[in-house]
Amino acid sequence: MPSSAREILKKYFGYDNFRPQQEDIVNQIVSGNDVLVLMPTGGGKSICYQVPALIRDGVCIVISPLISLMKDQVDALRSNGIAAAFLNSSQSFQEQQAILESCYKKEIALLYVSPEKLIGELTMITQMARPSMFAIDEAHCISAWGHDFRPEYTQLGLLREKFSNVPFVALTATADKVTRKDIVKQLNLRNPEIFISSFDRKNLSLDVRVGVKTKQKLQEIAEFIDVRRDSSGIIYCLSRNTCEDVAQALKNYGINAAFYHAGMPAEARSKVQEEFLKDELQVVCATVAFGMGIDKSNVRWVIHYNLPKNMEGYYQEIGRAGRDGLPSETILYYNYADLLMLNKFAAESGQSEINLEKLNRIQHYAEADICRRKILLNYFSENLEQNCGNCDVCKNPRKHFNGTVLVQKALSAIARMGEKEGASMLIDVLRGSRKAEVIEAGYDKLKTHGVGSEIGAIDWQRYIMQMLNLGIIEMAYDEDFALKITAYGRDILFGKSKAELTVLQPLVKKEKSVAAPKAERYNQEEELFNRLRQVRRQFSLEEDVPAYVIFSDATLQQMAKERPLSPSEMLEISGVGEFKFEKYGQVFLDTISGFMGSTGNLKQKGDTYLETLTLLKEGLTVSQVAAKRKLHEMTIYSHIANLYVNNKIKSINALVSSEEVETVREASRILNEKTALKPLYEYLHEEIPYHKIRLALAVIEREELVN
Ligand code: ADP
Ligand code: ZN
């Protein structure tokens, strides 16, 4: 087994680089430390524990709340050639026994198990599968402050002490500051390093449409889907009935849609889920019950037909779009009727205070007049300096004014009240109220009492919301919603920063007209992409796994763009690991070369080589050609190698010496490796750079062609 984290990343997952923080997280775990990982959906949490699992000796026990999710993750790992399994109560005793025995024989690197199963059979499971580490996925489920508390998670706290020699990693996509602290406490994490990735998912566009009536809403959605014929999407609805109605309405428009909710029989649900995963079903109209178990990376859009209950849920749901990093769209429909209904739910729920406050925040997100991504990120305690340019407000800006003085009034009142009061007391004080609570607390004696009397209470509320959204203040749920001043807020209070506020708009907004459908872009790249998708689909049906488990959309798009024609070019595509290359590489290569041969496209690929050749002949260096063509240098070297093999270039002696060729020839003979660069590179102690190996292989290949 290769030992370095990077090698594992390339070999098994086909990725050249870790994303920011992944490598640090992996290193911490490998050296035995606890960590808490906060990363948005699609951020790449799995890699953080899957790579160390392949390095540390023993079985990595992954605790995950949902059985369907486990199965998909295990399928995905296996498709990368990684030994993984899951344990759950749907398996027979014999099956479970067999899995545990494989663990005992060290044949399994990762074992997925639900919290109740693990705690219920702790001794047996851990005696058989000697844990190398524990990974607790969806860790926010342990906290009652989170939005998805699961009692079965609470017992996980006892693990830390029992297994004192192995590291614990807790992972979540959603946790505000309070929940974060609580996760560490409840799991008894040992001095954990906390990694907080940016929650900014730049590839997701944000759009909120206010007050659109049902009939028009359906028509807008149908039109939206109509111009996105091949792309999968989810429509989240508040109630089961709505899911069914919306699905039916879309079917009437001729759209391949179905519904999904918890009230359906289990088989019907898994059928919808499977078909969606395999790209046989384009649209699912679902309650929030749908998605926790969905790891599908090529969901291209998510629509909220109704307002979600809270920001956490909303963020997680839109986060299901574009996990492969490609541009994806989200739309939230918001109207007053939804709000009333949700208010009722929240008021009647067990934790009404928290739930009402959380609803309040999403309401203000939906009504906001400033960059939506700023608000969203702020909610997760992150500041976005610039407007995002990819939300409806940025695309259609509201008017602003310098609100520094207004904000300073509020901040100074908050400070004078010791940062222990909520919004309603603040407004009372600002407006100079003489209510009993105000007098009792002695707030009528404060300098700030009455300094904001010229602004109405409702407007103050909206300004306070803007301040929250801008990260000037924050709300402590665990201290009776007391308002606290952030570091940024302090800068404003002390005159070091200015506050830009938005001119308040009338509360009822006009309906928006539908955006004109985009002209359909259909070019050769897309055509090849679609062919590759068909090949992928074939494999997905044969192996009975979701399509994206074979290759993600991002990987297929890169193939369609770069059109690899040789194994080494194919292995350079991100997402093509060795195991997958062995299994599928040739078929995809054949598809690409077939495509290029069929429609005179070969000329096109030839064109790109010739373009490189022309520039080289003009005397440009490789790096100049790369810069000019906006391609990697390695790609240019690859072009040169191809041009040389095809006799378009007479000699490449200047780029690779005959000594180097001989060294590579010898290594290639010993390793029996004619295409993959990495093994050669490593065998040669990284002394000959990749591009030279590539060129040397071309020299060898041409000799073989000649002989
Ligand atoms: P999360 O669990 O955080 O929602 P995943 O672990 O499912 O996210 O990762 C999301 C996508 O990003 C997957 O398709 C995954 O293969 C891909 N990915 C993760 N890490 C990398 C990386 N270092 N380079 C390229 N793609 C990556
Ligand atoms: Zn924006």
Side-chain angles (χ1 to χ4, degrees):
M1 182 182 281
S3 53
S4 100
R6 246 164 215 278
E7 282 168 355
I8 288 177
L9 188 70
K10 180 67 185 167
K11 179 178 158 90
Y12 289 99
F13 300 93
Y15 301 137
D16 290 323
N17 294 303
F18 282 105
R19 289 187 182 156
Q21 298 201 323
Q22 280 178 333
E23 192 160 24
D24 285 347
I25 296 170
V26 167
N27 288 338
Q28 287 287 342
I29 301 173
V30 171
S31 31
N33 300 327
D34 285 3
V35 293
L36 170 61
V37 176
L38 288 105
M39 248 185 217
T41 312
K45 283 185 287 300
S46 324
I47 295 278
C48 297
Y49 61 84
Q50 288 166 350
V51 170
L54 294 172
I55 297 177
R56 290 184 63 92
D57 204 24
V59 179
C60 166
I61 300 206
V62 186
I63 299 157
S64 167
L66 280 177
I67 293 173
S68 56
L69 195 68
M70 281 180 208
K71 183 174 176 309
D72 282 353
Q73 288 196 304
V74 167
D75 280 346
L77 284 166
R78 288 188 181 157
S79 81
N80 278 325
I82 297 169
F86 62 88
L87 269 189
N88 69 45
S89 40
S90 74
Q91 296 159 321
S92 70
F93 179 74
Q94 281 78 5
E95 276 174 282
Q96 299 187 26
Q97 219 45 38
I99 290 166
L100 287 174
E101 265 157 39
S102 312
C103 288
Y104 194 74
K105 286 189 253 162
K106 300 192 169 183
E107 290 163 0
I108 298 284
L110 292 109
L111 180 67
Y112 285 72
V113 53
S114 64
E116 56 276 19
K117 179 95 194 158
L118 178 65
I119 298 298
E121 293 163 37
L122 186 62
T123 314
M124 170 156 68
I125 294 175
T126 52
Q127 272 175 2
M128 296 292 283
R130 286 151 297 190
S132 62
M133 58 182 277
F134 286 87
I136 296 118
D137 209 1
E138 312 288 352
H140 60 277
C141 292
I142 202 170
S143 172
W145 297 111
H147 63 108
D148 190 20
F149 174 57
R150 288 168 185 255
E152 61 278 17
Y153 259 68
T154 44
Q155 295 205 51
L156 297 176
L158 59 91
L159 293 175
R160 174 67 281 182
E161 208 180 327
K162 262 190 142 80
F163 300 92
S164 54
N165 293 325
V166 300
F168 277 57
V169 47
L171 308 108
T172 173
T174 60
D176 49 54
K177 273 189 195 161
V178 181
T179 312
R180 221 177 275 171
K181 272 196 272 176
D182 206 30
I183 293 173
V184 171
K185 189 169 140 215
Q186 304 285 339
L187 282 174
N188 293 310
L189 295 184
R190 208 165 47 193
N191 200 7
E193 181 153 357
I194 302 180
F195 289 91
I196 304 170
S197 295
S198 170
F199 272 65
D200 192 2
R201 296 271 314 276
K202 293 187 176 59
N203 62 322
L204 301 185
S205 69
L206 305 171
D207 189 357
V208 178
R209 301 186 185 178
V210 183
V212 184
K213 303 249 161 49
T214 306
K215 199 166 159 221
Q216 180 176 357
K217 193 157 45 165
L218 286 169
Q219 197 190 332
E220 273 187 29
I221 295 174
E223 282 171 10
F224 175 90
I225 299 171
D226 200 49
V227 290
R228 291 165 182 77
R229 272 287 152 182
D230 290 322
S231 54
S232 307
I234 305 174
I235 302 176
Y236 282 106
C237 310
L238 197 54
S239 75
R240 296 174 182 181
N241 281 341
T242 316
C243 295
E244 299 189 7
D245 294 348
V246 174
Q248 189 53 52
L250 294 179
K251 277 195 217 164
N252 294 345
Y253 278 103
I255 291 166
N256 177 11
F259 60 85
Y260 180 107
H261 56 66
M264 294 155 63
E267 311 89 77
R269 265 184 295 160
S270 49
K271 182 164 173 279
V272 170
Q273 183 160 326
E274 295 252 312
E275 286 182 355
F276 185 63
L277 291 181
K278 289 183 186 154
D279 289 346
E280 285 162 33
L281 176 64
Q282 192 195 354
V283 178
V284 180
C285 306
T287 58
V288 293
F290 185 73
M292 257 295 239
I294 302 287
D295 245 341
K296 184 177 165 69
S297 70
N298 63 340
V299 175
R300 288 273 72 85
W301 50 266
V302 166
I303 293 177
H304 281 88
Y305 191 83
N306 305 104
L307 187 72
K309 288 193 181 103
N310 51 48
M311 297 286 266
E312 286 90 344
Y314 170 66
Y315 195 72
Q316 199 163 47
E317 285 140 25
I318 60 171
R320 298 203 172 104
R323 292 174 81 124
D324 51 16
L326 299 176
S328 305
E329 297 163 284
T330 77
I331 302 174
L332 165 68
Y333 284 99
Y334 164 57
N335 60 41
Y336 205 62
D338 294 347
L339 187 66
L340 292 183
M341 174 116 73
L342 287 169
N343 242 307
K344 186 162 165 286
F345 290 164
E348 291 166 0
S349 68
Q351 297 178 296
S352 59
E353 240 184 318
I354 292 183
N355 290 339
L356 281 169
E357 178 48 34
K358 290 197 176 220
L359 176 60
N360 221 352
R361 294 299 292 274
I362 184 108
Q363 176 192 352
H364 284 89
Y365 167 81
E367 289 174 359
D369 290 333
I370 61 165
C371 171
R372 300 207 192 269
R373 201 173 308 265
K374 277 193 168 168
I375 305 178
L376 203 53
L377 291 178
N378 237 301
Y379 187 80
F380 297 104
S381 308
E382 201 177 315
N383 277 326
L384 185 67
E385 303 263 314
Q386 310 247 301
N387 289 339
C388 78
N390 197 16
C391 74
D392 60 307
V393 180
C394 283
K395 289 172 189 163
N396 173 22
R398 307 341 188 218
K399 289 207 175 63
H400 301 285
F401 69 100
N402 181 347
T404 309
V405 173
L406 187 153
V407 168
Q408 280 170 336
K409 286 180 184 172
L411 291 178
S412 128
I414 294 173
R416 284 169 203 268
M417 294 188 294
E419 297 185 79
K420 56 186 192 318
E421 297 292 350
S424 61
M425 178 63 91
L426 173 64
I427 294 171
D428 283 342
V429 170
L430 286 167
R431 291 187 39 75
S433 156
R434 308 202 62 83
K435 276 185 188 161
E437 303 98 279
V438 176
I439 310 279
E440 266 163 38
Y443 293 153
D444 57 328
K445 312 236 160 51
L446 295 180
K447 263 193 172 167
T448 41
H449 187 252
V451 290
S453 55
E454 76 285 4
I455 296 172
I458 293 181
D459 284 354
W460 262 121
Q461 225 161 39
R462 295 172 75 195
Y463 285 129
I464 290 171
M465 236 352 113
Q466 288 192 28
M467 289 165 63
L468 278 166
N469 286 340
L470 286 165
I472 296 170
I473 51 178
E474 58 191 3
M475 192 176 271
Y477 297 118
D478 52 349
E479 293 175 38
D480 262 348
F481 309 104
L483 297 175
K484 310 269 176 186
I485 303 173
T486 64
Y488 175 41
R490 269 175 221 291
D491 283 350
I492 296 171
L493 183 57
F494 299 124
K496 285 189 231 151
S497 281
K498 280 200 273 187
E500 269 251 301
L501 296 183
T502 308
V503 176
L504 297 179
Q505 309 248 320
L507 274 175
V508 183
K509 286 183 201 162
K510 277 209 224 101
E511 284 185 8
K512 271 183 142 190
S513 62
V514 197
K518 270 189 228 154
E520 228 169 301
R521 236 183 68 244
Y522 201 75
N523 55 28
Q524 300 227 320
E525 194 174 308
E526 275 183 48
E527 196 178 324
L528 176 55
F529 175 62
N530 283 334
R531 283 211 201 176
L532 296 170
R533 272 167 45 130
Q534 282 161 18
V535 176
R536 175 177 74 175
R537 200 171 124 83
Q538 207 48 46
F539 278 119
S540 125
L541 293 176
E542 277 166 23
E543 296 179 21
D544 197 27
V545 295
Y548 60 84
V549 167
I550 313 284
F551 284 127
S552 72
D553 274 18
T555 300
L556 294 192
Q557 282 216 343
Q558 202 188 339
M559 283 186 202
K561 185 155 177 247
E562 304 204 350
R563 305 183 179 183
L565 288 172
S566 68
S568 63
E569 285 179 339
M570 184 57 104
L571 277 160
E572 279 165 32
I573 302 284
S574 176
V576 183
E578 287 177 22
F579 190 79
K580 283 191 178 169
F581 175 74
E582 291 276 315
K583 221 164 149 194
Y584 313 116
Q586 200 52 50
V587 179
F588 281 89
L589 279 173
D590 292 347
T591 308
I592 295 166
S593 60
F595 175 79
M596 313 249 285
S598 67
T599 48
N601 292 300
L602 199 49
K603 198 173 137 276
Q604 279 207 343
K605 179 96 187 187
D607 280 352
T608 180
Y609 294 155
L610 290 181
E611 208 175 318
T612 295
L613 184 61
T614 312
L615 292 172
L616 288 170
K617 282 191 173 157
E618 282 171 13
L620 270 64
T621 64
V622 172
S623 64
Q624 285 165 337
V625 176
K628 181 144 192 187
R629 302 208 51 201
K630 298 202 173 63
L631 293 169
H632 284 297
E633 279 188 29
M634 193 58 203
T635 309
I636 304 299
Y637 281 115
S638 211
H639 290 176
I640 295 175
N642 275 293
L643 288 163
Y644 180 75
V645 172
N646 292 310
N647 217 358
K648 295 276 191 298
I649 292 181
K650 292 290 161 251
S651 156
I652 48 176
N653 288 345
L655 298 171
V656 57
S657 73
S658 52
E659 265 172 7
E660 285 160 339
V661 173
E662 288 322 305
T663 314
V664 172
R665 191 197 307 278
E666 182 63 11
S668 137
R669 196 181 55 74
I670 293 168
L671 296 180
N672 195 17
E673 178 58 78
K674 292 190 173 169
T675 48
L677 304 183
K678 181 131 194 166
L680 294 168
Y681 179 69
E682 276 156 13
Y683 178 80
L684 297 169
H685 308 292
E686 310 186 355
E687 275 161 15
I688 299 188
Y690 275 105
H691 73 271
K692 292 208 177 201
I693 300 179
R694 179 78 182 89
L695 295 175
L697 290 176
V699 174
I700 299 165
E701 192 178 341
R702 186 158 130 182
E703 283 172 11
E704 283 172 3
L705 284 176
V706 175
N707 293 332

